[in-house]
Amino acid sequence: GGCWGLNRPSVGARCGLARPGPSEELRMSKTNNFDVQSTFCVLCGRTDDCPEKYGEKRTYVEYNLTVHYYCLLMSSGIWQRGEEDEGVDGFLITDIRKEIKRAAKLKCNICKKKGASIGCVAPKCKRSYHFPCGLQRECIFQFMEDFRSYCWEHRPVQKFLDKEPRGASQCTICLDLVEHLPVYTVLKSPCCKNAWFHRECLQYQALSAGIFFFRCTVCNNKDKFQKEMLRMGIHIPERDASWELEENAYQDLLHCYQHCDVRRCLCKKGRDYNEPDSKWEIKRCQYCGSRGTHLACSSLKSWEQNWECMECRSIFAKSGKYSKRKRRALDTSEKTNGTTCLLEEPPPKSPRQSSGSPCSFLLQSPKIMCQNLSPRSHLELPASNRVMMSLSPVMSNRNWSLRRKHLRKKRKEACNTLKELKVQIKNKTTRLNINAEDIWSSALKGFRQRIFSPTNTIEVNFSNCKNGSKTNTSAASKHHFFQLLMFHLQNSSLFEGSSGKNLSLDFQAVKENLYFEAGKMIAVSLVHGGPSPGFFSKTLFNCLVYGPENVKPALDDVADVDVAQTIKTIKYASSLSSLQSTLQDCCEFLTAAGCLRPVTALCDKNMLVNDILIYHVIKRITLPLESFRQGLKTLGVLEKMQMHPDVFSSILCYKPERLSAETICDLFTIHSSSNVNKVEGADFWMGYLQDVESGESVVTLEDILLFVTGSSYIPSIGFDPEPTIKFLHIRYPIGNRLLNCLELPITKTYQEFKNKMELTIGNTLRVERE
């Protein structure tokens, strides 16, 4: 058998890491003396084709040879003596055949079969084994330097201090629980104290990310993390990440915006026509770059002349920075050909709203809101701008309708995206015992219990603290629980702000890891059919999606009245002396914020204001923000947010649309083989919804939804199953919450139908509430 000693160093290994083989295999062709079906590995004798475990399984017809890449790489009696393109990735065919003969004499200490080509490098250890057997017996193979292998008795282990807390936490890759135990299947981060992973999860991530992107998922440490993972047997291929290798993966980033957005486009060849060096060349907005115009459509004489879109112009006009010269230029452009080219809304082809749009684009006047004819409910306003003021005369009802349609479209997309995440939910049930009088403490206790898993089906059991009685554990309980929980979070000390909320700085909450729990609860609520928060500010949302380093906060994000007043005083200082006086008064605050800087000119105030905003809104809450982000990774919600930011902003930054007769009518599907308009009783149902909406009934639209589904709101993920209606010859309406089915009686008169609806729904809900 011979003495094993250390495994041979790889000629092709670079940077201390394993060198993967070429991406292209040798071309295979059938020959008469080769049986393609018997493609078993010549070293381990297995036919398994599992690249994640054994490396690529490669067949070389001309050599009558099939081998797993890892089996070859880890074999103890072979060296890489050839060039990269010689033999099998530098292993000469003659050397491979010698290794096969040598291994044929050795018996595997695990499966007891011949052909064990790998040996333990520990001194005096004579164990040998096949690569797959070694994995099964939890041996460790180091894909670095001289490619050592260790048996189950001599393998390296991670240090586990007695002071470290026992228990379980989430694996930050798969989000399932991982026990804090010094076992083969569990690895802990060398750079983060409380970061634990499943070995299998780390291996899959390493294969996907490659050497350039594989790092700690908590702190992003690369060098220390990779060194420890290589020591513990994680294979990190020396190649780019899998997502970087996709063909045309970043092709969309090379596309420039080319579309004419002014109200009246003069180009006969269409809004998308672009002819360079002519009057039909498209000029993009100099500020946002996401709007455009033909030179002729906006009376621009040359391409070098600057142009601003309507939204950016409105922002500057509101801030008072728009010069009189530009206003005169604007007036001139308005009169061109008798058209209002720039001040009118964009065409309905591409409705959009910039993140910096003025408040007048998003707000309704109280006069309109008092009527049911409002094209948009106040509940649809973004959380950061939910304030009452007059409607801008520039905005028409058509704009409101377009904006409402846009939000509805995005919410439908959000619903479909959340349904993709819902496939993770298993039939296994976790029951939460909730005290409605102390919703936060009982929810926290439930989410932190060891048996809780976000992938389990959740059942909620409300308990009465006074007499210990319990309500039913139906879907209604779960909907009500998530509704109470989101309401509590919105008004908790974890968030600050009157409407659009940002994270606050609560050191006790950081210490107790409550920001992580809050993010986790929101993610679970979205996927399990609860309500969306709807109170995120745009700044908070952008920090979560794009990273805090790419976000510029605004004065509206400052919740502290004193800090906001200080920033305003600096921002609106009219002279250098008044600015210096203000800075002297708040010197201690600026020093603590790290924003104290010498001021020699009045224009320096702009940089100072920006520094204060970044510190107070973003840098100050770095720890809460990172913890909150980790919580939102539960069930893959944060990843979907980053993939579809405009979709998720519609449910996280905007309150849900107020229920209307039209919404309820669209929500329910009428079961009938004939035309819905001809279904007996359908006209009574639609008429009743209109009466309820106009207040001519003691029942509300929320009551109807609650009667049928157990929820007074429409979840962001929708209902499962979708609500339906059946018209039957029954005496009174029946709400089947298990099937979300509303069974309605067929009556001769509308008044009879209305009386039965109000009597049944009112009495049923009153009994439940009592």
Side-chain angles (χ1 to χ4, degrees):
C3 181
W4 291 97
L6 295 179
N7 291 16
R8 74 283 168 273
S10 169
V11 174
R14 299 186 296 273
C15 304
L17 299 175
R19 174 204 47 74
S23 58
E24 294 184 1
E25 297 183 2
L26 295 177
R27 186 178 299 276
M28 294 187 292
S29 59
K30 279 191 176 183
T31 58
N32 295 331
N33 62 344
F34 183 75
D35 184 5
V36 179
Q37 300 300 324
S38 59
T39 55
F40 53 85
C41 174
V42 293
L43 290 171
C44 72
R46 298 199 184 192
T47 59
D48 305 49
D49 187 4
C50 186
E52 296 82 5
K53 287 186 176 182
Y54 313 136
E56 285 185 81
K57 180 184 175 185
R58 303 176 182 179
T59 297
Y60 301 92
V61 177
E62 57 269 41
Y63 304 135
N64 193 17
L65 180 70
T66 297
V67 65
H68 290 123
Y69 180 57
Y70 293 171
C71 292
L72 182 61
L73 201 62
M74 299 306 302
S75 290
S76 301
I78 188 171
W79 286 264
Q80 199 177 24
R81 298 192 301 122
E83 298 297 331
E84 296 281 332
D85 56 349
E86 287 187 82
V88 179
D89 296 331
F91 293 97
L92 301 180
I93 300 301
T94 54
D95 291 343
I96 295 175
R97 300 201 185 282
K98 288 179 182 179
E99 177 65 4
I100 295 171
K101 290 180 180 179
R102 186 190 66 81
K105 304 173 184 178
L106 303 173
K107 183 183 290 186
C108 176
N109 286 81
I110 300 170
C111 71
K112 309 303 180 184
K113 295 180 180 179
K114 293 291 184 70
S117 62
I118 304 172
C120 176
V121 299
K124 299 182 181 180
C125 181
K126 301 298 182 180
R127 291 191 180 99
S128 56
Y129 34 83
H130 302 102
F131 185 84
C133 295
L135 284 183
Q136 186 178 352
R137 192 63 174 83
E138 299 183 349
C139 299
I140 280 185
F141 304 93
Q142 293 180 341
F143 293 86
M144 61 177 181
E145 298 173 353
D146 47 5
F147 294 83
R148 299 174 176 228
S149 63
Y150 297 86
C151 69
W152 54 93
E153 185 178 332
H154 300 109
R155 70 190 181 202
V157 295
Q158 291 186 306
K159 292 182 181 179
F160 192 88
L161 303 177
D162 294 334
K163 296 180 181 179
E164 292 192 49
R166 300 300 175 103
S169 62
Q170 271 192 323
C171 170
T172 58
I173 300 175
C174 71
L175 304 179
D176 280 342
L177 290 180
V178 54
E179 297 286 341
H180 296 179
L181 297 173
V183 294
Y184 174 83
T185 57
V186 173
L187 294 172
K188 68 173 185 174
S189 173
C191 43
C192 291
K193 189 174 182 180
N194 296 318
W196 297 77
F197 313 91
H198 296 110
R199 172 183 286 273
E200 187 177 358
C201 295
L202 276 174
Q203 184 58 78
Y204 274 100
Q205 186 191 29
L207 292 175
S208 177
I211 185 177
F212 301 110
F213 292 93
F214 182 58
R215 58 193 68 197
C216 177
T217 57
V218 178
C219 69
N220 275 339
N221 181 285
K222 181 179 176 183
D223 297 334
K224 188 175 181 181
F225 187 77
Q226 285 193 5
K227 184 177 180 181
E228 175 67 3
M229 295 305 122
L230 285 167
R231 185 180 78 89
M232 295 306 297
I234 299 298
H235 178 216
I236 311 173
E238 189 180 340
R239 57 167 172 74
D240 217 334
S242 57
W243 57 84
E244 297 281 345
L245 301 176
E246 293 180 16
E247 188 176 357
N248 298 325
Y250 302 98
Q251 192 65 29
D252 290 345
L253 300 179
L254 303 177
H255 294 166
C256 291
Y257 187 84
Q258 291 187 346
H259 185 80
C260 181
D261 291 298
V262 298
R263 175 77 181 259
R264 184 70 63 84
C265 179
L266 305 177
C267 182
K268 295 182 179 179
K269 295 186 178 181
R271 293 181 178 272
D272 295 325
Y273 180 71
N274 178 42
E275 183 182 345
D277 300 324
S278 73
K279 65 179 181 178
W280 302 122
E281 182 172 4
I282 290 180
K283 174 74 177 179
R284 293 183 295 278
C285 173
Q286 65 170 326
Y287 295 113
C288 68
S290 56
R291 288 289 198 185
T293 177
H294 289 116
L295 300 183
C297 297
S298 294
S299 300
L300 301 177
K301 294 182 179 179
S302 71
W303 192 87
E304 296 179 354
Q305 190 174 349
N306 289 329
W307 177 79
E308 304 87 20
C309 67
M310 176 187 66
E311 294 179 4
C312 292
R313 178 176 288 109
S314 301
I315 296 170
F316 278 93
K318 184 178 178 182
S319 63
K321 297 180 181 178
Y322 204 64
S323 66
K324 291 182 179 179
R325 181 183 61 79
K326 287 188 177 181
R327 289 183 186 277
R328 285 198 297 271
L330 176 62
D331 293 337
T332 304
S333 65
E334 287 176 6
K335 296 175 182 178
T336 304
N337 296 328
T339 62
T340 54
C341 298
L342 301 174
L343 273 185
E344 297 192 35
E345 71 276 3
K349 277 187 179 180
S350 54
R352 97 188 231 296
Q353 179 198 344
S354 169
S355 59
S357 299
C359 293
S360 58
F361 276 60
L362 304 170
L363 307 176
Q364 289 185 311
S365 67
K367 185 175 182 181
I368 293 181
M369 290 182 61
C370 292
Q371 304 172 4
N372 288 323
L373 300 176
S374 170
R376 178 182 177 190
S377 166
H378 72 285
L379 288 180
E380 275 192 323
L381 295 175
S384 56
N385 291 309
R386 211 168 293 123
V387 183
M388 298 297 181
M389 64 180 291
S390 298
L391 185 65
S392 169
V394 179
M395 299 301 295
S396 65
N397 284 348
R398 182 163 169 264
N399 294 89
W400 289 116
S401 180
L402 286 174
R403 184 61 189 161
R404 188 184 181 190
K405 279 184 179 179
H406 179 73
L407 275 176
R408 282 188 176 179
K409 178 183 176 183
K410 293 303 176 185
R411 284 174 184 145
K412 286 182 179 178
E413 293 179 20
C415 176
N416 294 331
T417 304
L418 291 174
K419 285 179 179 177
E420 294 175 9
L421 296 176
K422 192 179 180 181
V423 298
Q424 305 171 74
I425 308 303
K426 305 170 186 174
N427 292 329
K428 186 179 179 181
T429 300
T430 297
R431 176 171 292 185
L432 303 180
N433 293 313
I434 301 299
N435 179 1
E437 297 178 2
D438 192 4
I439 188 72
W440 175 247
S441 297
S442 54
L444 198 60
K445 182 179 178 181
F447 272 72
R448 284 179 169 176
Q449 59 183 329
R450 294 188 63 179
I451 61 171
F452 178 82
S453 172
T455 58
N456 288 351
T457 299
I458 294 176
E459 283 188 1
V460 176
N461 188 44
F462 279 105
S463 59
N464 189 319
C465 295
K466 294 180 180 180
N467 55 25
S469 64
K470 298 179 179 180
T471 63
N472 57 3
T473 56
S474 63
S477 298
K478 185 172 75 170
H479 287 303
H480 186 51
F481 161 67
F482 281 124
Q483 190 175 30
L484 291 176
L485 187 57
M486 291 302 106
F487 181 77
H488 174 86
L489 282 175
Q490 180 176 356
N491 298 283
S492 70
S493 62
L494 302 178
F495 298 90
E496 61 182 15
S498 56
S499 50
K501 293 183 178 290
N502 292 299
L503 292 176
S504 64
L505 181 59
D506 187 330
F507 288 108
Q508 187 62 30
V510 173
K511 185 177 179 182
E512 296 177 9
N513 206 24
L514 298 186
Y515 290 98
F516 171 82
E517 299 294 346
K520 179 180 177 181
M521 290 174 182
I522 289 173
V524 170
S525 175
L526 290 173
V527 179
H528 281 263
S532 58
F535 58 80
F536 286 15
S537 70
K538 281 290 185 181
T539 298
L540 173 57
F541 181 81
N542 290 338
C543 284
L544 295 169
V545 172
Y546 304 110
E549 67 278 2
N550 299 313
V551 178
K552 186 176 180 180
L555 185 58
D556 292 338
D557 294 314
V558 180
D560 190 303
V561 177
D562 295 332
V563 175
Q565 185 57 46
T566 300
I567 297 175
K568 286 181 182 178
T569 307
I570 296 173
K571 183 176 182 179
Y572 298 114
S574 56
S575 64
L576 181 60
S577 59
S578 63
L579 176 60
Q580 291 175 336
S581 176
T582 302
L583 298 183
Q584 190 173 1
D585 293 338
C586 59
C587 180
E588 292 184 9
F589 167 75
L590 294 176
T591 303
C595 301
L596 189 62
R597 60 169 64 238
V599 175
T600 57
L602 187 61
C603 61
D604 291 341
K605 66 180 183 179
N606 298 326
M607 185 71 72
L608 185 59
V609 167
N610 187 53
D611 288 348
I612 298 173
L613 286 173
I614 290 177
Y615 164 76
H616 189 79
V617 179
I618 295 179
K619 288 185 177 180
R620 192 173 60 97
I621 61 155
T622 300
L623 286 176
L625 181 63
E626 181 56 32
S627 184
F628 190 59
R629 280 168 61 94
Q630 293 300 325
L632 282 172
K633 286 183 178 180
T634 304
L635 295 171
V637 170
L638 181 62
E639 182 182 359
K640 289 292 185 182
M641 287 171 57
Q642 293 169 336
M643 292 171 61
H644 312 284
D646 53 338
V647 169
F648 274 85
S649 68
S650 68
I651 60 175
L652 295 178
C653 300
Y654 293 82
K655 283 296 182 183
E657 182 181 3
R658 186 190 295 276
L659 291 182
S660 64
E662 180 186 0
T663 305
I664 297 295
C665 189
D666 291 341
L667 182 66
F668 284 86
T669 301
I670 298 179
H671 273 192
S672 174
S673 57
S674 59
N675 192 326
V676 171
N677 295 324
K678 297 180 182 179
V679 174
E680 189 177 3
D683 52 345
F684 288 170
W685 161 248
M686 296 175 186
Y688 180 65
L689 289 179
Q690 292 176 355
D691 279 356
V692 173
E693 182 181 30
S694 60
E696 297 178 13
S697 172
V698 295
V699 172
T700 65
L701 294 171
E702 287 77 9
D703 290 340
I704 296 175
L705 197 61
L706 185 62
F707 177 73
V708 183
T709 65
S711 171
S712 59
Y713 59 87
I714 301 176
S716 299
I717 200 172
F719 289 104
D720 184 21
E722 294 183 359
T724 56
I725 290 178
K726 292 181 181 178
F727 289 93
L728 306 171
H729 292 282
I730 55 179
R731 294 187 63 185
Y732 295 100
I734 299 173
N736 188 337
R737 291 179 178 175
L738 188 62
L739 301 176
N740 292 332
C741 179
L742 176 59
E743 298 176 357
L744 296 176
I746 297 176
T747 59
K748 293 182 179 180
T749 64
Y750 171 71
Q751 192 59 44
E752 183 183 356
F753 178 84
K754 182 178 180 180
N755 291 341
K756 289 186 175 184
M757 290 291 289
E758 295 187 347
L759 177 66
T760 306
I761 296 176
N763 288 343
T764 302
L765 298 183
R766 184 173 64 254
V767 170
E768 287 184 358
R769 287 163 185 154
E770 290 175 355

